[in-house]
Structures are given as C-alpha cells and as structure tokens.
C-alpha cells in the first residue's frame, strides 16, 4: 500500500529579482519654447524577493510544484523627468524554522526563526535618464543608462522544526504514544514500524502557564545517518532541540537489547552531528508495565553509570508519565537556547556595481572584451551620436580597458568586439 504524505521539508527553487527600468531619452517639447533640453526620467527599481516566516505554515509543500519565483521589473523612465514605477516586491511565505541556503555551495544565507522579513534577492537599480547627463558642453545627450538586472540565484529551502525537546529512539518504542499522552498532538499510532512518517510537534503544558514544545522524530534506525530508513530525512529536525528524550523499550519485547538500541541511536546522532550528540539527554525507559523489575533496574544502572538521568514509564498505562513534563521543564531552565544558524554565504561580487572585465585575443588583430556592465552602457548609448560615443569612450578609458589593450599589444585598426558591437582601434 502506498502511503501519501504532504510533509515536504526540503525544496530547491530559482529566484529572479526584478530588473531595473531603463532611463528615458527624451527632450522637452512645448510651443514657443525652443531647445527645451533633455528631460528623460529615471527608470524604477526592480522588485526584491523577500522571505517571511509564517507560523500558520508547517511544510514546504507549495515549493514542490512551483520552482521559479520572479519579482516585478521596474518601469521605464518617461519624458518630463517622470520616474518609472518601482517594481513590487515578491513576498514568499515559509514555515518558521526554514533555513535558506545557496544551492551551489550549501552555505546558509538566512535562518527564518522569527517573523522578521529577510531580503534574499535584491532588485536591480533603475537606469538614469538623459536629463542626468546634460552639461554645459554636452547639452543634448542622446543616451541614458539602462536598468541593472536583479539578482538571480538558486536556493535550497530546508525546514528545521523549532522545538525545545526532541523524542528520539527506534521505531515502535512508544514515542508517538508518549507525545499523544503529554500533549494535544494526535499522531497515527499502530503496532508496526514506521507508523509515524512525518515529525509531529506537540505543546506540553506544565501548569501555571509553563510549557515547552516537543517533537516526535520518526524512523531512526541503525544506518540512518547514511540514508537508511526514514531517520536520515528527519534528523535535521532534532538540530534545534535543546534537550533529547531518548525513548527505549526496556522490555525487549521485540527481541532487541535496550542497551544496544541506546548505543546505536547515539552512534547515529554522532555520525550525523557531533554537536547534536553532545546535547543533554534524559533516557526514558518505556513499556515498564511488561518488563520485569530486574530488566528495569539493570537498564537504570547502565544509564546512570553514564551520568544520565533515567525515568521509567509506561506510556500505555500512564505509569510515571504525569511526572515527566515537570522534570523536563525544570531541566530546560538550565539549558541555554540553541542559537540560530548564522549566515555563512557572501554574495559574489557582481558586475552591477564593479567594473571587472576580461580581454581575450581571438585571432590576429581581433580582441574580445567581456564586460557585461559595459555592454549595458553601450546598449543605452547612441553610437551614431558624437556626444554619446564620447561618453562611451570615456568609460573605456576610465575603466582601464584601453590601457590593458595597449599592454596586451593591440595595434592600429585592430578589431575590438564588445557584445554585439565591433570597433576599429585607433590611437
């Protein structure tokens, strides 16, 4: 029988921030006003892509079907110095606890652990209209700057549930029964392995307004850190937990040794994250109602020899369960909050603000200049207009492209390729 689940906790999507609008090339026209001068307005800024954590969401399901998100472009500048409209920001809502990572490097861009909006992809700046380029010696500029492209990036969304306490242990040891008895959570419960297919969150009340959030993490088995079973998919949800409740079946009713079970789960935690394995643990010996007193005491001694707290319970009969929330809450008071994941990703220098270029010699007397920022200036220039061409040549000189061509051995009348244009080099 195929089991369907709507719980999605990892998704990779493309983000395209809005392009800035192009500046306008216009001139004032009015009856009885001669030579009104340039009045081209600036283009509007492109829209940003903004992520916001929403406590009403619990899955990344929406991102399973839609993979591309594009913000609105800025409007073009207009005559009479009219500014183009700024593009609307695109607001993307995700569950609280979502980590945004760069898909290429895997580095953290942002941790949405609260509801504060975070700009992930910045929209491009609008281009300047020709009114900006008028000078006493250049009174009729026939060029404007095009808008800059918005940031374009591929990101991975990874949901890490925010819970104070994580229930860990082998399948069928009674984790789901336990969380259903100490909280209002209602996970599916049955007497077979992998009943629980998704992490379950429950709020545990300790009286007088005191409470904590508990997460039932399903499917941990030996080899989970290597991708065996379901545990590998859900280990990430334990990473934020301050305290681990390690549930073990002390009865051995499934012909398993509780000591071996305890050691194997801790080994999987260590392989997945040594930091996670070092978190404080309370070991909960479940199914005490069908275990012998000797089994319970032997396991208690084994756990306490390792300096850990042991609690004997029976989730089915409620033996020892009522006292457990108070014990956990008091332990949490002494454990500091797990810090949020700090941003590691540094956006690479792009060509929107810098003036990087690369020159390649294609063949004798032919040179190719790669400089996207220069191509954008060229696209907004009128190469048939003397003043516009002068402005473009000044950009070539000030950026160091001319000096580099000379250093590489450019000769008179060599062909220089810039984007779709080609020019003859003249000393």
């Amino acid at each position: 029988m195929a089991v369907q689940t709507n719980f999605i906790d990892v998704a990779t999507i493309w983000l395209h921030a809005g392009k800035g609008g192009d500046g306008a090339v216009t001139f004032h026209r009015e009856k009885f006003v001669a030579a009104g001068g340039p009045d081209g307005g600036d283009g509007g800024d492109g829209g940003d892509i903004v992520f916001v954590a929403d406590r009403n969401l619990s899955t990344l399901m929406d991102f399973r079907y839609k993979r591309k998100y594009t913000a609105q472009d800025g409007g073009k500048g207009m005559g009479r110095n009219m500014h183009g409209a700024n593009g609307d920001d695109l607001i993307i809502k995700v569950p609280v606890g979502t980590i945004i990572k760069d898909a290429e490097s895997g580095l953290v861009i942002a941790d949405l652990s609260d509801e504060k909006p975070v700009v992930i992809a910045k929209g491009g700046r609008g281009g300047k209209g020709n009114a900006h380029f008028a000078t006493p010696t250049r009174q009729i500029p026939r060029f404007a700057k095009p808008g800059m492209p918005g940031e374009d990036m591929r990101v991975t969304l990874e949901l890490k549930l925010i819970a104070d306490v994580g229930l860990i242990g082998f399948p069928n040891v009674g984790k789901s029964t336990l969380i259903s008895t100490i909280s209002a959570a209602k996970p599916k419960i049955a007497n077979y392995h992998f009943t629980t297919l998704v992490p379950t969150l429950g709020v545990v009340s300790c009286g007088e307004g005191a409470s904590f959030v508990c997460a039932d993490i399903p499917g941990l088995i030996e080899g989970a850190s290597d991708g065996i079973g379901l545990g590998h998919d859900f280990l990430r949800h334990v990473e934020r937990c301050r305290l681990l409740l390690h549930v073990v079946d002390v009865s051995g009713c499934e012909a398993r040794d509780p000591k071996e079970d305890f050691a194997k789960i801790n080994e999987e935690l260590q392989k997945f994250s040594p930091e996670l394995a070092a978190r404080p643990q309370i070991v909960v010996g479940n199914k005490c109602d069908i275990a012998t007193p000797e089994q319970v005491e032997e396991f208690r001694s084994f756990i306490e020899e390792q300096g850990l707290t042991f609690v004997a319970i029976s989730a089915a009969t409620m033996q020892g369960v009522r006292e457990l929330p108070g014990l956990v809450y008091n332990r949490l008071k002494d454990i500091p909050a797990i810090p949020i994941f700090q941003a590691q990703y540094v956006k690479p220098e792009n060509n929107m603000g810098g003036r990087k270029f690369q020159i390649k010699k294609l063949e004798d007397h032919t040179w190719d200049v790669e400089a996207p920022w220069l191509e954008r200036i060229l696209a907004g220039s009128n190469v048939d207009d003397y003043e516009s061409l002068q402005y473009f040549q000044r950009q070539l000189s000030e950026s160091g492209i001319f000096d580099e061509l000379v250093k590489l051995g450019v000769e008179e009348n060599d062909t220089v390729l810039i984007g779709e244009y080609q020019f003859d080099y003249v000393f």
Side-chain angles (χ1 to χ4, degrees):
M1 180 180 68
V3 180
Q4 298 293 329
T5 175
N6 289 334
F7 184 80
I8 303 296
D9 58 0
V10 176
T12 299
I13 60 175
W14 282 98
L15 305 179
H16 305 276
K19 175 187 176 297
D22 296 337
V25 179
T26 61
F27 296 90
H28 185 67
R29 294 289 184 267
E30 187 177 346
K31 192 175 183 180
F32 307 122
V33 178
D39 66 353
D42 300 342
D45 294 336
D48 301 334
I49 295 183
V50 183
F51 280 76
V52 179
D54 187 338
R55 297 190 183 277
N56 295 316
L57 299 178
S58 58
T59 175
L60 299 174
M61 185 70 180
D62 291 345
F63 303 99
R64 185 175 185 177
Y65 303 107
K66 183 178 179 181
R67 297 298 178 94
K68 287 189 176 182
Y69 292 82
T70 305
Q72 187 178 39
D73 293 341
K76 294 182 179 180
M78 295 166 282
R80 298 189 179 184
N81 292 304
M82 293 177 65
H83 197 289
N86 292 332
D88 292 335
D89 294 340
L90 177 63
I91 309 296
I92 300 177
K93 293 184 177 182
V94 294
V96 173
T98 301
I99 305 289
I100 303 176
K101 295 181 177 180
D102 173 54
E104 301 275 329
S105 64
L107 297 177
V108 175
I109 300 174
D111 182 353
L112 278 71
S113 296
D114 54 35
E115 295 166 291
K116 181 180 178 182
V118 178
V119 177
I120 299 299
K122 188 73 177 168
R125 296 192 306 273
K128 300 294 185 183
N130 69 336
H132 283 274
F133 301 102
T135 67
T137 57
R138 185 176 59 229
Q139 298 180 2
I140 313 175
R142 300 184 185 277
F143 60 91
K145 282 193 174 183
M148 297 296 185
E151 291 178 340
D152 185 6
M153 59 197 304
R154 192 164 67 103
V155 299
T156 296
L157 308 180
E158 188 173 308
L159 176 59
K160 296 179 187 286
L161 295 180
I162 297 180
D164 300 296
V165 177
L167 288 179
I168 60 172
F170 270 87
N172 217 32
V173 296
K175 300 192 304 296
S176 296
T177 303
L178 177 58
I179 197 171
S180 69
T181 58
I182 63 176
S183 75
K186 300 299 178 188
K188 182 179 179 182
I189 300 172
N191 189 30
Y192 58 84
H193 291 183
F194 304 121
T195 308
T196 306
L197 296 175
V198 302
T200 302
L201 283 178
V203 178
V204 181
S205 176
C206 304
E208 298 182 0
S211 64
F212 60 87
V213 178
C214 187
D216 173 14
I217 309 301
L220 276 180
I221 61 172
E222 186 177 5
S225 60
D226 297 322
I228 299 174
L230 297 174
H232 180 262
D233 292 330
F234 301 123
L235 272 168
R236 69 175 64 91
H237 297 295
V238 199
E239 287 190 86
R240 294 188 192 270
C241 296
R242 295 189 284 155
L243 176 67
L244 302 179
L245 282 188
H246 193 153
V247 184
V248 181
D249 175 5
V250 295
S251 71
C253 64
E254 295 193 354
R256 293 206 308 257
D257 183 345
K259 295 179 183 177
E260 286 186 10
D261 284 2
F262 174 80
K264 286 175 181 177
I265 292 296
N266 279 313
E267 184 179 344
E268 294 307 318
L269 291 178
Q270 179 69 33
K271 288 179 180 178
F272 179 76
S273 167
E275 183 183 357
L276 180 60
R279 297 275 162 81
Q281 286 191 29
I282 293 177
V283 181
V284 178
N286 193 25
K287 302 188 182 182
C288 289
D289 55 317
I290 58 175
T292 66
E294 291 77 16
Q295 285 177 306
V296 175
E297 289 308 312
E298 182 184 356
F299 189 66
R300 180 193 299 276
S301 299
F302 169 73
I303 294 300
E304 291 180 348
E305 284 173 3
Q306 301 181 55
L308 298 175
T309 301
F310 175 78
V311 180
I313 71 161
S314 169
T317 65
M318 295 297 290
Q319 174 188 339
V321 171
R322 292 183 179 86
E323 296 77 22
L324 186 60
L327 173 66
V328 171
Y329 182 77
N330 288 330
R331 177 67 69 86
L332 285 171
K333 290 179 181 179
D334 301 325
I335 303 174
I338 300 300
I340 64 172
F341 290 82
Q342 298 298 318
Q344 305 164 318
Y345 178 73
V346 177
K347 289 183 180 179
E349 267 190 52
N350 53 42
N351 291 312
M352 290 192 291
R355 289 196 163 196
K356 290 186 177 181
F357 61 85
Q358 187 175 10
I359 300 176
K360 297 178 182 177
K361 189 172 185 178
L362 302 182
E363 55 187 34
D364 286 345
H365 308 297
T366 303
W367 305 82
D368 180 43
V369 177
E370 293 183 10
W373 61 269
L374 185 61
E375 292 178 31
R376 288 193 289 272
I377 292 177
L378 184 55
S381 302
N382 180 1
V383 294
D384 295 323
D385 177 72
Y386 176 74
E387 289 183 343
S388 182
L389 193 56
Q390 271 193 322
Y391 173 78
F392 175 68
Q393 288 177 331
R394 191 157 53 251
Q395 306 307 308
L396 287 171
S397 178
E398 292 175 356
S399 65
I401 291 177
F402 277 156
D403 292 340
E404 187 65 18
L405 282 168
V406 171
K407 187 187 299 183
L408 294 174
V410 69
E411 298 178 2
E412 182 90 19
N413 295 323
D414 278 5
T415 300
V416 178
L417 305 177
I418 303 175
E420 298 178 353
Y421 294 84
Q422 65 178 37
F423 304 89
D424 290 334
Y425 181 81
V426 180
F427 284 104

